[in-house]
Amino acid sequence: MKHSIWKDYASHKYMFLMLLPVLVYFAIFHYGPMYGVIIAFKDYKILEGTLGSPWAGLDNFRELFGGYAFGTVLRNTLIINFYKLVFGFSAPIVLALLINEVSVGWFKKSVQTISYLPHFLSWVVLAGLVIEFLSPSRGAVNMALAWFGIDPIYFITEPGWFRAILVSTDIWQTVGFSAIIYLAAIAGINPEMYEAAEVDGISRVQKIWYITLPSMAPVIVIMLILNSGAIINDDFEQVFNLLNAKVMEVGDVLSTYTYTEGLLKMNYSYAAAVGLFKNVVALILVLTANYLASKFSDETIF
């Protein structure tokens, strides 16, 4: 038996050779640097290096959990990412269902192109567009409000609006590209199921509810499991490019907090402790979501 397995591997050796650059990439840039996690348990000194720096035990974690600032950024991270999961996860599913119902070819392709175009733009560009669009003096939104006699709103610097801006702009940037996955799932549905449903006389909405969505369920469950870890893993580029001093209390998240502590204040050990905490929580969330999925459905990651 073992001989036949290795024989199969040998017959596909060139395909495995194509996989080698990916394995090397992950080994060098993802698994290799993991030794640096010990910085979180040390009083890191640049001149002494990772191994030469003195041990600090759990001091960095005691400082982490005992500080007021960490509690604030953790709360902001959970609230913002929970909103993103609730509203952002369903958005590409809805978009995929709507695009699938479009029968005009050129219009369907145009909608797809326009919707996933923001995915290929960096948040430096997108943040500039958002700031200009919401500008109180020349932004399109405030100009429209002025027509109705409403005073300009400083959206980007208003704490009450900032989280909504983060959630809505994240959906704008990701909804089109994420919808591709669900469109692929829809494309894999047997057309005979729709033909049989038409014979029975069901409506288009009923076809979506009883055929399309159940057929997409395995993909939806897998994507939900993968996105569950995002509750603790925020988008640094988005927040960093939109964040300002007036909304720090509601907009400062774990990644920007780590950047401030680690690079600006050069408190490397403390920043490593924050990063380790975030990654451990993300792992627990993914494992929990996978376990719950195994209890209620047959679709899991492992």
Side-chain angles (χ1 to χ4, degrees):
M1 185 66 180
K2 290 183 178 180
H3 174 73
S4 61
I5 293 176
W6 286 109
K7 188 176 180 180
D8 291 338
Y9 285 162
S11 63
H12 296 88
K13 57 181 179 295
Y14 294 112
M15 296 185 66
F16 285 103
L17 189 62
M18 294 175 63
L19 184 63
L20 184 61
V22 178
L23 297 178
V24 172
Y25 165 79
F26 277 95
I28 295 176
F29 295 104
H30 291 267
Y31 291 98
M34 285 180 67
Y35 85 96
V37 76
I38 64 175
I39 294 176
F41 303 94
K42 288 196 168 193
D43 182 14
Y44 180 71
K45 309 293 183 183
I46 295 180
L47 297 179
E48 298 180 13
T50 301
L51 299 178
S53 299
W55 288 97
L58 299 176
D59 290 348
N60 293 313
F61 292 93
R62 294 190 186 97
E63 181 182 355
L64 177 67
F65 297 122
Y68 167 78
F70 175 75
T72 301
V73 298
L74 178 60
R75 183 176 66 253
N76 291 339
T77 302
L78 294 177
I79 292 174
I80 293 170
N81 290 332
F82 177 76
Y83 288 156
K84 286 184 178 181
L85 183 62
V86 171
F87 298 104
F89 181 76
S90 58
I93 300 175
V94 174
L95 179 61
L97 293 174
L98 294 175
I99 291 177
N100 185 61
E101 293 300 314
V102 176
S103 57
V104 182
W106 67 267
F107 182 74
K108 185 175 184 178
K109 292 180 180 179
S110 299
V111 171
Q112 283 185 270
T113 302
I114 294 172
S115 63
Y116 68 64
L117 182 61
H119 174 81
F120 299 98
L121 300 177
S122 71
W123 267 112
V124 176
V125 176
L126 294 177
L129 293 175
V130 171
I131 292 171
E132 285 296 316
F133 192 71
L134 299 177
S135 171
S137 59
R138 57 183 181 273
V141 174
N142 277 298
M143 286 183 179
L145 293 177
W147 292 342
F148 296 97
I150 302 175
D151 294 333
I153 300 175
Y154 294 76
F155 290 99
I156 297 296
T157 59
E158 176 58 48
W161 283 100
F162 190 72
R163 288 174 178 169
I165 291 172
L166 289 179
V167 175
S168 58
T169 54
D170 179 75
I171 295 174
W172 170 50
Q173 196 240 2
T174 60
V175 63
F177 193 78
S178 299
I180 296 175
I181 299 173
Y182 300 107
L183 286 170
I186 294 173
I189 300 175
N190 190 345
E192 294 180 358
M193 298 176 65
Y194 293 108
E195 295 172 1
E198 290 176 357
V199 173
D200 292 336
I202 70 172
S203 65
R204 296 178 70 175
V205 175
Q206 288 176 321
K207 284 193 288 186
I208 293 174
W209 185 257
Y210 293 108
I211 299 177
T212 308
L213 282 175
S215 300
M216 294 170 61
V219 176
I220 293 174
V221 171
I222 295 298
M223 294 303 297
L224 181 60
I225 294 173
L226 294 175
N227 279 275
S228 62
I231 294 178
I232 197 73
N233 286 320
D234 48 79
D235 191 337
F236 170 76
E237 291 185 5
Q238 180 201 24
V239 180
F240 180 77
N241 284 286
L242 292 174
L243 194 63
N244 57 81
K246 292 188 176 182
V247 294
M248 290 293 289
E249 191 67 21
V250 298
D252 194 17
V253 293
L254 284 173
S255 60
T256 53
Y257 179 66
T258 304
Y259 167 79
T260 302
E261 292 293 329
L263 295 181
L264 300 186
K265 296 183 180 179
M266 294 188 291
N267 192 356
Y268 302 113
S269 296
Y270 181 78
V274 176
L276 179 59
F277 166 79
K278 184 173 69 172
N279 292 332
V280 170
V281 172
L283 176 62
I284 293 173
L285 289 172
V286 170
L287 293 176
T288 302
N290 188 77
Y291 173 78
L292 294 176
S294 67
K295 293 296 182 182
F296 297 101
S297 70
D298 297 328
E299 304 299 330
T300 58
I301 297 178
F302 45 83

